[in-house]
Amino acid sequence: MTSTDEMLSARRRVIGRNVSIGYRRPVHLVRGAMQYLFDQDGRRYLDGYNNVPHVGHCHPRVVDAAERQMRALNTNTRYLHESLARYAARLTATLPEPLRVCYLVSSGSEANELALRLARAHTRRRDLIVLDAAYHGNTTTLIDISPYKFNGPGGAGRPSWVHVVPVPDVYRGTHKKYDPQAGAKYAAAVARSLDEMRADGAAPCGFIAESCPSVAGQIMLPPGYLAAVYGHVREAGGVCIADEVQTACGRLGTHFYGFEQQDVVPDIVVLGKPIGNGHPIGAVVTTAEIAASFDNGMEFFSTFGGNTVSCAIGLAVLDVLEDERLQAHAQRVGAHLLARLRSLTDQSPLIGDVRGRGLMIGVELVRDRQTKERATTERDRVVSEMFKRGVLILGAGPNALRFAPPLVITKPQADIVTDVFEQALGAIGQGQLRT
Ligand code: PMP
């Protein structure tokens, strides 16, 4: 037995079976450095999809900040420590007014849970509108608001207080990208959902959506969508929650947050993954008014949320983002990667749609461009062929590929990702190039 096999069976003995593992031949990684990962044999992989190590795997400044604070003190928000207020102020300053009150937690799920509690405390209602195929986290309530889970294997279906509207997918949905009114037309589904609620004597607590639905297949919201949705929801007395767990911190290039591209200001913003660069940090930022409704006498405490080490790391991540101008870099390299990926459309019949902003890119693979039949097995084979060639890419939704690398990826490395994608298409007989 090889050591990989031993590791796999040791894991199977003690870890729940539905804690999944990537790749048919699992990878044993031992080291990370910026946009690279290394396995036990010293093989190097270019990371084309991990958005958690936002400023780079093991970025030295982030590691130094963590180490220094680890040696000095690690404790919780019940004690005064200057880094808590400093980090919360720095983080909220990246958001528009009136988003000025911050809660720190330790995961995206914990942050979404808290966002729901805030929305419920403020509106004293429970009914929530969610996008189809959304995923918002792993807790009981978040599975209830995640169609990707409750409609998927092992799911128990939609709870009555959850209302699902179509993802505004301008490639596959009813309204297409050439329709300038697509955003408003998709938003009309939210208005209809609110009407149905009203007819049933219910009222909305709010609406939650990712600013670029990711597990739904890296969907880019059409212009005007969130503005129209927020208008409908607020008119009905609900609050608008932006799940920025995947999209925050400059990934989209033009803006620090995804919702800004839609020209809206949410009532509650949920943050996770990138803000800690791999260290578990989550955050919820809201308005003073909503925070006041939540301050109802019950203490809020998260043991690890806002601990001194997390704050030091969070501050280091923001420093690196600023000093290395990574948002502008994401815009430049992302535009290049998107253009290169689009140029492959002529090379392979399998490429149905290439979409993205900054370094948040999706490529949808189809068996037929007319019928848009999903090329799911082909997509999985492309992922595996890219892996063989040293590039890590993930599937998103049933048949899309997700390109969302650490922001430090360079243009020449984006070229490598594209070249390897082209070779992978060739290797499965779906490209013009031989490998
Ligand atoms: N929201 C979104 C959009 C996510 O992608 C995820 C994680 N994939 C979560 C929330 C949950 O975050 P976590 O796994 O850190 O709890």
Side-chain angles (χ1 to χ4, degrees), residues 58-277:
C58 308
H59 191 294
R61 282 181 69 186
V62 179
V63 174
D64 283 351
E67 195 183 326
R68 235 178 298 120
Q69 189 57 48
M70 251 339 217
R71 287 185 195 286
L73 174 75
N74 191 15
T75 186
N76 61 59
T77 50
R78 289 219 171 97
Y79 305 98
L80 280 178
H81 193 281
E82 58 143 18
S83 66
L84 175 67
R86 198 143 61 86
Y87 178 47
R90 278 282 295 281
L91 194 60
T92 50
T94 63
L95 284 154
E97 296 272 7
L99 294 163
R100 284 294 171 264
V101 185
C102 184
Y103 300 85
L104 293 169
V105 290
S106 24
S107 69
S109 296
E110 201 185 340
N112 267 328
E113 273 287 336
L114 176 59
L116 277 186
R117 287 185 63 196
L118 289 165
R120 286 177 178 178
H122 190 63
T123 60
R124 296 168 191 269
R125 301 170 180 170
R126 192 158 85 123
D127 285 54
L128 193 74
I129 301 177
V130 303
L131 294 187
D132 201 4
Y135 175 68
H136 294 293
N138 61 32
T139 66
T140 307
T141 309
L142 297 178
I143 297 298
D144 278 349
I145 67 162
S146 299
Y148 173 71
K149 291 289 184 190
F150 69 63
N151 281 333
R158 178 181 69 85
S160 59
W161 55 272
V162 175
H163 307 268
V164 182
V165 294
V167 183
D169 177 350
V170 291
Y171 171 65
R172 201 170 269 285
T174 321
H175 312 293
K176 300 289 191 285
K177 63 181 104 175
Y178 48 75
D179 179 353
Q181 294 306 313
K185 287 178 183 168
Y186 280 113
V190 172
R192 283 194 294 277
S193 176
L194 290 163
D195 286 343
E196 282 164 23
M197 246 181 262
R198 217 169 281 130
D200 288 345
C205 164
F207 167 85
I208 185 168
E210 274 188 88
S211 302
C212 285
S214 55
V215 291
Q218 303 281 88
I219 305 292
M220 302 294 136
L221 302 180
Y225 176 69
L226 282 185
V229 168
Y230 282 18
H232 297 315
V233 171
R234 284 173 176 154
E235 202 179 285
V239 299
C240 300
I241 306 172
D243 181 339
E244 288 274 345
V245 166
Q246 297 269 355
T247 40
C249 299
R251 173 159 298 280
L252 304 184
T254 52
H255 298 84
F256 202 76
Y257 292 102
F259 67 80
E260 291 175 297
Q261 293 196 327
Q262 288 273 309
D263 230 359
V264 293
V265 178
D267 303 298
I268 301 172
V269 173
V270 174
L271 304 172
K273 303 178 193 276
I275 60 171
N277 209 53

Side-chain angles (χ1 to χ4, degrees), residues 317-339:
V317 172
L318 292 177
D319 284 342
V320 171
L321 274 168
E322 240 175 73
D323 295 349
E324 298 185 13
R325 296 186 169 81
L326 289 178
Q327 181 181 320
H329 180 81
Q331 188 177 5
R332 273 194 307 277
V333 179
H336 178 73
L337 179 57
L338 190 69

